[in-house]
Amino acid sequence: MPLQVYSTLTRKKEPFHKQPGDTVSMYVCGPTVYKPSHIGHMVGPVIFDTVKRYLTYLGYKVKWVVNITDVDDKLIKRAAELNTTVPALAEKMTADYIECLNRLNVKVKDASGLGIDEMPKATDHIDGMIAMISRLIEKGYAYPAGGDVYFDVSKDHDYGKLCNRDPEQLEAGSRIEVSDRKRNPGDFALWKGAKPGEPAETIWDAPWGKGRPGWHIECSVMSQKLLGDTLDIHGGGLDLQFPHHENELAQSESDTEKPFAKVWMHNGLLKMGTAKMAGSVGNVVNIADLLQRHTPETVRFLLLSTHYRSPIEYSEERLEEIAKSLQTFYRFFERYKRVYGGSFYEIPTRKGYSALFIEDLAHWPESPMSEYNNLRDVFIAWMNEDFNTAAAIGVLHDLLKALNKLADDLHLENSTPKHYGHTAFHRGVEVLRELSYILGLFWQPPETKKLGGDDTLVAGLMQLLIDLRSNIRGVAKEAAKDNPLKKPLFDQTDLIRKRLADLGVTLEDRANETTWRVG
């Protein structure tokens, strides 16, 4: 099935309007950088990073832009509270935002071509905003009023089409900025006249008076400058649909007389219980604090474990569940190293979709390659179904089970490297690497947890404990030959395992050895 994408504008899934090999322009609204980044700020970037990864995998050439709002009422107020300047605050918070993105494997201007290609700042495009506002005034869509400039929604015959509601309904259901300078209650600001006491670095000259641009105009100007008049994909959180995206659409199409975006993608919001996570609500969790408790991979996994149009339920319990689920993958990567001798993270990643090259294993019995190929096809089918990452992650778990079963059935950890199963096993792991790369998962080995103290001493003491336990098990087996009811010695080995587990140490018994790990 070809790629199907749901658009908020048409309210249905449709075949994607471009073909592999074509260039795709994608614009996603970024943050207003006045406070440190919280987990809600990461939802859109992780989702659309995955969208870009998949489109690139299918053969599209994607240019992705995310804007930075670095002048705004919130920035002015916060800078005053901190006794700093608006540019200094914006620069510091932008750096924090980029650092958080990098930690969640969302690259910014990376040489590999992954991630965000451009991250324009609003203050670098003021001239373009003044020019667009001037054009809208000339065409009769906007009007100056006492130093402000407003867009006249009554002049846009299809205003409200993104939300599928008429202007009066939108006014009734949303907070509208009140001003006696407006012609209509729903008119929105393209330019805000300077107010007494505002810092000089937030004021620019314009034909209708000193001031700064409104929030909505910046995205129209920057997307037009960097991606052209018509975007292939415009993305952002569901909370931006109105008024921000509705107003972007109105002013852009009034200016160019062309469709603003072919596809509108709105991701669901992060929720803590029943409430949206947001600074205005006061229930945000800063990324820096969250990553003290959970790995970046755990957080990214959480954000992709729900279909992007659905709400994401945030809780510590859910993060703990995901962390345990990820341990099954990490243990498998250790197993792969024991079987094949190399690191999962060093397997070259297949970055394009084509028929999977597989060495002909048909002459070997019980070849699992068809199952790997089938699972890969199921993964692709789910991603083609409006980027269903939640179902795609389920396929990763199915593939993991199939690989573990192969290793168990053929006793690969105890077989020679020339065993045919080693080749089949490695091919299957290549598929796992390929698919996880699309989701931006397993990009680096997890940090090894430490027990504390001297690592060499801890390792030595653990090996001593394992050796003693092994000796007890040997004695217990001999005792059981004479009297199967004699279990006390076996109970002692179980007790050692349990007490270590209470300390966060897991023992794994294999045919020829016992290994240990923290977690």
Side-chain angles (χ1 to χ4, degrees):
M1 183 180 69
L3 176 62
Q4 304 278 318
V5 183
Y6 181 92
S7 177
T8 308
L9 184 63
T10 62
R11 286 161 189 80
K12 60 182 178 180
K13 282 186 289 188
E14 297 176 321
F16 193 54
H17 60 282
K18 287 195 167 180
Q19 298 300 316
D22 293 343
T23 297
V24 174
S25 57
M26 184 166 73
Y27 185 91
V28 177
C29 293
T32 300
V33 284
Y34 72 106
K35 283 187 177 181
S37 298
H38 59 73
I39 179 62
H41 290 138
M42 300 293 106
V43 177
V46 167
I47 287 170
F48 288 100
D49 176 70
T50 306
V51 168
K52 178 178 177 177
R53 284 171 176 271
Y54 186 61
L55 290 174
T56 302
Y57 176 79
L58 294 181
Y60 296 92
K61 302 170 185 176
V62 184
K63 184 175 182 181
W64 178 23
V65 174
V66 175
N67 72 295
I68 295 292
T69 299
D70 60 343
V71 59
D72 183 83
D73 292 341
K74 294 177 181 178
L75 271 157
I76 295 172
K77 180 181 177 182
R78 185 62 176 163
E81 291 172 352
L82 297 176
N83 195 28
T84 187
T85 66
V86 170
L89 176 61
E91 182 178 1
K92 182 178 180 181
M93 293 300 99
T94 299
D96 172 76
Y97 179 64
I98 292 174
E99 171 62 20
C100 292
L101 293 177
N102 282 327
R103 294 195 68 183
L104 295 188
N105 202 25
V106 179
K107 308 300 182 184
V108 178
K109 298 184 180 180
D110 191 75
S112 68
L114 291 174
I116 301 168
D117 298 290
E118 297 288 344
M119 192 172 275
K121 298 177 181 178
T123 53
D124 291 335
H125 294 266
I126 300 296
D127 289 345
M129 298 178 205
I130 292 173
M132 181 178 281
I133 294 170
S134 296
R135 293 194 298 270
L136 291 171
I137 292 173
E138 291 172 6
K139 291 183 175 185
Y141 288 105
Y143 57 94
D148 299 334
V149 179
Y150 293 97
F151 185 91
D152 189 340
V153 296
S154 69
K155 298 297 178 66
D156 183 7
H157 70 279
D158 58 0
Y159 183 80
K161 65 182 179 182
L162 184 61
C163 297
N164 196 29
R165 298 169 71 182
D166 64 44
E168 290 187 3
Q169 288 177 315
L170 293 173
E171 292 167 22
S174 303
R175 290 182 299 172
I176 298 296
E177 185 177 336
V178 178
S179 172
D180 55 9
R181 298 173 180 174
K182 293 183 179 183
R183 295 176 182 172
N184 311 291
D187 292 353
F188 56 90
L190 301 174
W191 187 264
K192 295 182 176 182
K195 299 180 180 66
E198 290 185 337
E201 67 265 19
T202 66
I203 298 174
W204 287 265
D205 289 322
W208 41 84
K210 293 179 180 293
R212 62 180 181 279
W215 176 34
H216 315 300
I217 194 71
E218 66 179 76
C219 288
S220 291
V221 169
M222 289 188 281
S223 64
Q224 187 181 102
K225 173 73 173 179
L226 296 171
L227 298 173
D229 292 343
T230 300
L231 306 170
D232 290 308
I233 297 174
H234 193 315
L238 187 62
D239 56 339
L240 297 179
Q241 184 178 351
F242 184 83
H244 187 50
H245 288 168
E246 192 73 64
N247 293 348
E248 274 187 67
L249 188 157
Q251 65 201 12
S252 295
E253 294 190 352
S254 297
D255 176 44
T256 66
E257 299 180 2
K258 299 175 183 177
F260 181 41
K262 296 285 189 179
V263 175
W264 286 86
M265 293 177 63
H266 287 98
N267 59 268
L269 306 179
L270 195 70
K271 291 192 173 182
M272 183 179 288
T274 58
K276 166 196 167 185
M277 186 180 289
S280 58
V281 179
N283 61 351
V284 298
V285 178
N286 285 352
I287 285 291
D289 296 333
L290 182 62
L291 294 182
Q292 292 291 323
R293 306 189 301 273
H294 300 282
T295 68
E297 197 148 62
T298 301
V299 177
R300 184 171 179 119
F301 209 94
L302 169 71
L303 300 183
L304 295 177
S305 61
T306 302
H307 188 276
Y308 78 87
R309 285 191 283 119
S310 300
I312 301 171
E313 297 294 335
Y314 173 91
S315 70
E316 285 294 314
E317 292 77 14
R318 178 63 180 140
L319 286 165
E320 291 290 350
E321 290 174 3
I322 289 172
K324 290 179 181 178
S325 175
L326 286 171
Q327 287 297 325
T328 62
F329 286 94
Y330 300 149
R331 288 196 294 273
F332 174 78
F333 301 155
E334 294 171 1
R335 186 177 203 183
Y336 169 75
K337 189 171 184 178
R338 292 193 300 271
V339 171
Y340 205 79
S343 169
F344 173 85
Y345 298 93
E346 294 173 356
I347 297 175
T349 52
R350 291 171 44 82
K351 300 176 183 178
Y353 179 77
S354 62
L356 183 63
F357 173 78
I358 300 173
E359 182 178 337
D360 183 13
L361 302 175
H363 60 284
W364 283 320
E366 302 177 6
S367 174
M369 296 313 301
S370 60
E371 181 177 8
Y372 301 155
N373 273 331
N374 288 340
L375 288 172
R376 179 173 177 268
D377 289 343
V378 172
F379 180 99
I380 299 301
W382 279 122
M383 290 298 288
N384 279 344
E385 186 65 26
D386 194 28
F387 308 105
N388 192 336
T389 57
I393 284 175
V395 176
L396 293 188
H397 284 283
D398 292 339
L399 180 55
L400 185 71
K401 291 176 184 177
L403 288 166
N404 272 321
K405 185 176 186 303
L406 176 69
D408 290 339
D409 292 348
L410 299 182
H411 308 289
L412 294 184
E413 292 183 58
N414 301 315
S415 62
T416 64
K418 293 184 178 180
H419 190 287
Y420 87 87
H422 280 254
T423 301
F425 183 72
H426 181 62
R427 293 288 187 267
V429 177
E430 285 182 325
V431 176
L432 180 62
R433 176 75 165 148
E434 172 188 344
L435 302 185
S436 59
Y437 180 85
I438 294 171
L439 299 178
L441 298 172
F442 311 129
W443 65 93
Q444 61 186 10
E447 293 183 4
T448 302
K449 294 182 181 179
K450 297 181 179 180
L451 291 176
D454 183 84
D455 291 344
T456 303
L457 176 61
V458 171
L461 290 173
M462 279 301 305
Q463 192 57 52
L464 173 61
L465 190 57
I466 287 172
D467 291 343
L468 289 173
R469 179 173 174 270
S470 178
N471 290 338
I472 294 172
R473 293 180 72 190
V475 172
K477 288 181 180 179
E478 290 299 320
K481 290 178 182 178
D482 299 329
N483 186 349
L485 297 179
K486 289 184 177 180
K487 295 180 57 182
L489 289 175
F490 278 117
D491 291 342
Q492 292 301 308
T493 65
D494 291 338
L495 178 62
I496 293 172
R497 176 190 290 277
K498 183 180 183 304
R499 293 294 295 274
L500 286 174
D502 292 341
L503 295 173
V505 178
T506 301
L507 296 183
E508 294 184 352
D509 293 317
R510 298 188 178 87
N512 299 318
E513 65 174 344
T514 297
T515 61
W516 67 279
R517 59 183 172 78
V518 180

